[in-house]
Amino acid sequence: MSDITLILLGAGSASRFKLPPKKQWLWIDKEPLWLKVANDFQKIKSFESTVIVSSKDDINSMSNFASYHFVEGGDSRQQSLKNALKVVKTPYVLVSDIARCCLDSDMIKRVILAKNNNGCVVPTLKVVDTLYFENLPIDREASKVIQTPQLSPTKMLLKALSSNKEFSDDSSAIASLGGKIIFVEGSTKAHKLTTIEDLAKMTCLKAPSTQAMTGFGVDIHPFEEGKKMMLCGIEIESKFGFKAHSDGDVAIHALIDALLGAAGLGDIGEFYPDTSDRYKGADSKELLLDTLKRLHDFGYVIGNIDLTIIAQTPKLLNYKRAMRFKLANLLNLNPNLVNIKATTSEKLGWIGRKEGVAVEAIATLYYYDWTKNENYHN
Ligand code: MG
């Protein structure tokens, strides 16, 4: 069994990366970037465990995709790393940024081979340009560019980070304790993905798969007298509304489940629980917009949606067009990609007895194609 735990840091807000998806959620063939990086590391070396540090919201979704150990990040890189170190049981840790997404396996093997009980192993590059410090040139032969991943003894790194000082990397933290710094040859391939322009340098990143993903959703609500009836974000003239924790827009609820289903992200109750006061009387349009933002953050775009509303009453014929345009507008889709069907249950069962309404929805999603953005030149 390995005595090294891999820590991948990905909790930063990535505010310099201006695309609809977060950079760790760019799709590389059929994997999000963060998962590709974690899986690529396992192909180089079997670690005792892999700890992925990210924001709380991301972790909830990431944990549906892989069985790695997920830890919530802090306000800074240092705090995130401290949170991760709390769950580490091995004597050594290899720490990398998720954004260093093209791995040079030879370099990583060099770092691991140089493992040292007394200090931090650091990959470095020679400086090729002339360097000035303030107004004077400095000896570039004696200068190095520091890269990651870096390998440290776990206890030494924990101790170094417990000081209040902010360090820019693990080696400077270890050096502050008087620990040894062991330099190994780095790699010019190990770029960090910071801005969209960097994408063109990342030759290891394949374009996203063009495969469509399908999701299905169903929702049912009973009628309740004296409440406004909302369906697809449109107010329907009726003596009844829907009994519900939220505004009861049963059509939007089924649609949210179809969208989350296609994205592999669970169901509506996990994101907007009907036990939470926060969603009491909630406007379902807001929940749909929040779902859409989540889909965009995680690198999905909607292909089309199709809903069937099963209701004995009210009659919906005259509302279908308005519903289509309302949902198209909310989701920023062409109206031909939004289909609304209405049917009755031929007076059978609880729908036929006019006790409530059921809605079925289907949605297709695609991965956002980052190779087509105007700043990407390959
Ligand atoms: Mg519902």
Side-chain angles (χ1 to χ4, degrees), residues 287-306:
L287 307 186
L288 181 61
L289 290 175
D290 188 68
T291 303
L292 183 67
K293 178 172 186 309
R294 199 176 301 272
L295 295 179
H296 287 167
D297 279 353
F298 292 175
Y300 299 100
V301 288
I302 300 177
N304 73 310
I305 59 172
D306 183 23

Side-chain angles (χ1 to χ4, degrees), residues 7-22:
I7 296 179
L8 292 173
L9 299 171
S13 65
S15 52
R16 279 177 287 172
F17 195 77
K18 308 262 182 251
L19 279 187
K22 299 183 188 180

